[in-house]
Amino acid sequence: MRADRLVAVLLLMQIRGRVTAADLAADLEVSVATARRDLEALAAAGVPVYPQPGRGGGWSLVGGARTDLSGLTAAEAQALFLLVGPAAVSPEARAALRKLLGALPRTFRADAEAATAATMIDPAGWGERDRPRPAMVDLLQTTVVRRRKIRLTYAGRDREPAERLVDPWGLVDKDDTWYLLAGTDRGRRTFRIDRIIQAAPTDQPAERPDDFVLTAAWQEVVDEIEQRRSSTWATVLIQERFVPILRDQFGRHCHTDGEPDRGRVHVRLAAPTPLDIARHLAGWGALIEVVEPRSVQDELARIGAELVSRYPGGHTDRKAAAPGTGHRGAEHGRPAAGG
């Protein structure tokens, strides 16, 4: 957990006075880039750490090599606990925060303790179920830190479960779904943790490229997946006031095209297939006009024909309502209908 690392960074700086990103990376078993980002995060949050460039430089706590955590100001202590408090979900992280709290001057403790409970993180979207953290995550984190190969039984999409021996490189929590990046005999692969049926650590040392940086590798994965998710593009015409709702539906694959004309604007949308786009747009009815391509128009026509066939007695004199403009949709910014 990052909260554990941030506390560990401060404790190491208290003991040593000055550290380098390479020192922290070796002690905490993370990449140099990760250690540097942790130091920058502490500085950005108001904790008094600063870099000293040049030969023999590094990062220091303000006040010199012997300054300990009790040298934090009240505002700095609050900044630290606001940063790591919401992320401290494990018993170990909470224990570390308690120890850190005890190192503060007594006059600061009440505000610092209150800061840990001032913010919470609710990862579940409106209308979604809360997804608990998979138990497999802790086991995989241990193998990543210890750098040991692990044998997985993995059920890929539309594939029979298969056993694989992999080198675990890092874990990513993406929108409350966990992924494992690992090395295999076919190169780097990404595994959804909720599809791992079984995992058995081994005593064999794992191999990891010297230049591997988890954030950079994950960005490559994201770019590849998003490219596949945007293989079909469509241009639609809609009232400008409804564009934010389309952005909520299509995310990064929604772009306005040109200036509004009489309150309406062209918008470019993308999804994996024409059917995926049509499913999202079907609930808009006549409020949206698909300019092109014809494939999306045809899918909308087919969906419309299916609905008319199934519900021939539906009323046609009701005033059309835009998705997301109902009571719940408007309140939470979610579409009221669509795929």
Side-chain angles (χ1 to χ4, degrees):
M1 294 292 294
R2 196 184 190 201
D4 301 40
R5 290 204 316 270
L6 293 174
V7 173
V9 168
L10 281 174
L11 292 174
L12 287 170
M13 295 183 76
Q14 172 184 331
I15 295 169
R16 301 177 185 174
R18 179 179 299 169
V19 297
T20 66
D23 293 335
L24 292 176
D27 286 322
L28 303 179
E29 297 188 290
V30 297
S31 69
V32 174
T34 296
R36 187 175 295 112
R37 279 190 295 273
D38 286 345
L39 288 163
E40 292 169 351
L42 289 172
V47 179
V49 298
Y50 67 95
Q52 187 172 13
R55 185 176 180 87
W59 289 75
S60 302
L61 284 166
V62 170
R66 300 302 300 173
T67 299
D68 62 19
L69 293 181
S70 62
L72 296 174
T73 67
E76 291 162 351
Q78 289 182 40
L80 173 62
F81 280 82
L82 283 169
L83 177 68
V84 300
V89 295
S90 69
E92 293 80 8
R94 290 194 294 268
L97 283 181
R98 287 194 296 270
K99 293 176 182 177
L100 179 58
L101 188 65
L104 294 175
R106 183 170 300 177
T107 54
F108 295 171
R109 291 176 191 171
D111 287 344
E113 189 170 17
T116 64
T119 305
M120 69 166 289
I121 299 172
D122 181 3
W126 295 112
E128 296 180 355
R129 295 181 183 273
D130 186 24
R131 287 174 285 183
R133 171 185 163 113
M136 189 75 68
V137 170
D138 292 333
L139 174 63
L140 295 173
Q141 282 181 327
T142 300
T143 61
V144 170
V145 172
R146 294 183 61 226
R147 298 198 177 188
R148 292 293 183 268
K149 292 181 183 290
I150 189 167
R151 196 174 302 278
L152 305 178
T153 302
Y154 186 75
R157 179 178 294 177
D158 301 326
R159 295 181 183 177
E160 292 295 324
E163 188 176 279
R164 311 181 186 199
L165 183 66
V166 306
D167 297 310
W169 292 347
L171 299 174
V172 176
D173 179 3
K174 172 74 168 177
D175 194 24
D176 215 22
T177 299
W178 285 83
Y179 299 86
L180 169 69
L181 269 65
T184 72
D185 54 1
R186 297 182 180 180
R188 188 187 71 203
R189 290 292 184 271
T190 304
F191 301 93
R192 274 187 60 144
I193 292 181
D194 57 5
R195 293 178 184 164
I196 298 176
I197 300 174
Q198 195 171 20
T202 73
D203 290 330
Q204 303 177 51
E207 298 178 3
R208 185 167 67 180
D210 293 337
D211 59 350
F212 176 79
V213 178
L214 181 58
T215 52
W218 179 247
Q219 187 59 54
E220 292 177 5
V221 173
V222 170
D223 291 342
E224 179 183 343
I225 293 176
E226 293 293 356
Q227 186 174 4
R228 292 203 302 265
R229 295 181 69 245
S230 61
S231 54
T232 300
W233 285 86
T235 300
V236 303
L237 192 60
I238 193 171
Q239 288 288 329
E240 184 181 16
R241 61 194 177 98
F242 295 138
V243 171
I245 305 175
L246 280 182
R247 289 201 179 109
D248 186 60
Q249 286 183 287
F250 289 88
R252 68 165 68 185
H253 306 306
C254 174
H255 309 282
T256 55
D257 188 7
E259 296 296 322
D261 181 14
R262 289 176 292 184
R264 297 210 299 174
V265 63
H266 285 87
V267 181
R268 293 277 290 164
L269 307 171
T273 68
L275 178 58
D276 291 315
I277 295 179
R279 284 171 171 166
H280 277 291
L281 301 183
W284 289 84
L287 286 171
I288 198 165
E289 177 185 347
V290 176
V291 179
E292 56 90 24
R294 182 60 182 270
S295 58
V296 175
Q297 296 172 348
D298 290 344
E299 290 291 356
L300 280 169
R302 182 184 61 78
I303 293 172
E306 287 180 354
L307 293 174
V308 170
S309 175
R310 174 158 294 188
Y311 308 106
H315 297 291
T316 58
D317 58 348
R318 293 179 180 176
K319 185 178 180 181
T325 57
H327 173 69
R328 288 180 59 83
E331 180 182 355
H332 302 308
R334 303 289 291 183

